[in-house]
Amino acid sequence: MGWRAIVSAALLVAMPIAAGGASAQRQGDGGERSDWVELRCQKVGEGVGHDTILLAAGTGLFRALRLRVQRNDVVVRHLQVVFEDGGAEKFEIGHRIHADEESRQLDFAEAPRAIKRINLAYSPISGQEGYAMICADGLAAEGGADL
């Protein structure tokens, strides 16, 4: 096999791997593409109980939201999504989200919407070492997000 064939074969293998790692789109459980976009992560600690995740204007339009928790478990009581148009929507969560797991999908009543901020109410789990990280993912509306 010549060197051109070896380089071509290597590129064919490397290109999909590189493209898949840089994309905000991920494969769903059934193999279908989903348009979940990481909006922002917030470090949360013991004793606080509430935080706000602020998003930059022009982030894009979204149909739904989900939370992902990293490092330590967190009990998420509820959250309020405040939209760019001034409207808001509250979601009751009321359960423990384990580290490296995510919440259920939280569909917006009126979609698509531009998110301004997310107000979180949570209870850190005592006895855990360090902090937890709560990440908000948005399900991009048709046409995608501007991230």
Side-chain angles (χ1 to χ4, degrees):
M1 186 184 301
W3 66 272
R4 287 184 188 173
I6 293 170
V7 170
S8 295
L11 286 174
L12 286 173
V13 170
M15 285 175 33
I17 293 170
S23 175
Q25 296 180 336
R26 300 186 208 132
Q27 293 291 334
D29 292 337
E32 73 281 358
R33 288 182 74 86
S34 64
D35 293 321
W36 284 104
V37 177
E38 183 177 281
L39 301 175
R40 190 152 183 199
C41 293
Q42 178 74 38
K43 182 178 175 179
V44 298
E46 280 194 57
V48 178
H50 57 85
D51 272 298
T52 298
I53 298 175
L54 297 173
L55 302 181
T59 301
L61 298 175
F62 299 93
R63 303 179 308 190
L65 185 76
R66 73 177 176 200
L67 299 178
R68 285 180 298 111
V69 174
Q70 300 171 352
R71 298 186 56 88
N72 280 319
D73 298 359
V74 177
V75 175
V76 179
R77 296 191 311 265
H78 57 85
L79 64 89
Q80 179 189 43
V81 181
V82 179
F83 301 102
E84 289 288 342
D85 64 8
E89 194 165 345
K90 187 173 181 178
F91 295 94
E92 295 296 330
I93 308 295
H95 73 270
R96 182 178 190 151
I97 302 175
H98 296 279
D100 300 321
E101 292 185 2
E102 60 194 37
S103 71
R104 63 182 167 80
Q105 180 173 318
L106 307 169
D107 294 310
F108 301 145
E110 298 175 28
R113 307 285 300 265
I115 302 169
K116 183 175 185 177
R117 71 178 179 268
I118 303 162
N119 299 320
L120 297 167
Y122 59 88
S123 300
I125 308 297
S126 62
Q128 296 184 123
E129 191 173 314
Y131 62 91
M133 185 79 70
I134 297 178
C135 297
D137 296 336
L139 182 58
E142 195 66 35
D146 297 332
L147 295 176

